[in-house]
Amino acid sequence: EGTLGFADLSPYGKPIDYIGQAVHTTLAPNYYNDTINLSIAKTEDGKGSVIEAFSISQIAGAYCDAGQNYFNIMQVITSVYDSSDYYGGDAGFDGSCQQPASA
């Protein structure tokens, strides 16, 4: 919604205040798009925010993406917060987006 890909849901009394979407394009020999979906809600005490993010490769068979979806999410988070300002684990609360193993 709007021009920035984010919508303000706070006037509607929903448990989530904002939703948004961004697209990451890899300029490789071919163009590959990954879509990052975000939801932002206030913490229970109202002193912070809970951000849920999900990234999906828009190409069939991107099973072993070598950490690209993790990278997409962390690019968004670290551009807004420094590492002391967020927590929850780099793999997310459910462990579904783990940091790639170092070589």
Side-chain angles (χ1 to χ4, degrees), residues 14-85:
K14 301 295 181 185
I16 293 175
D17 296 311
Y18 298 92
I19 57 172
Q21 189 174 76
V23 175
H24 169 260
T25 301
T26 301
L27 302 175
N30 299 307
Y31 290 91
Y32 301 105
N33 287 335
D34 302 319
T35 302
I36 304 112
N37 292 295
L38 301 141
S39 66
I40 304 169
K42 292 182 184 113
T43 56
E44 288 185 24
D45 64 8
K47 295 181 181 179
S49 298
V50 175
I51 300 173
E52 292 184 353
F54 183 82
S55 177
I56 187 166
S57 301
Q58 298 298 319
I59 183 172
Y63 176 67
C64 297
D65 72 353
Q68 184 63 53
N69 284 301
Y70 168 85
F71 178 78
N72 294 339
I73 292 169
M74 294 310 293
Q75 280 289 99
V76 172
I77 299 300
T78 59
S79 69
V80 177
Y81 302 101
D82 73 31
S83 63
S84 66
D85 289 336

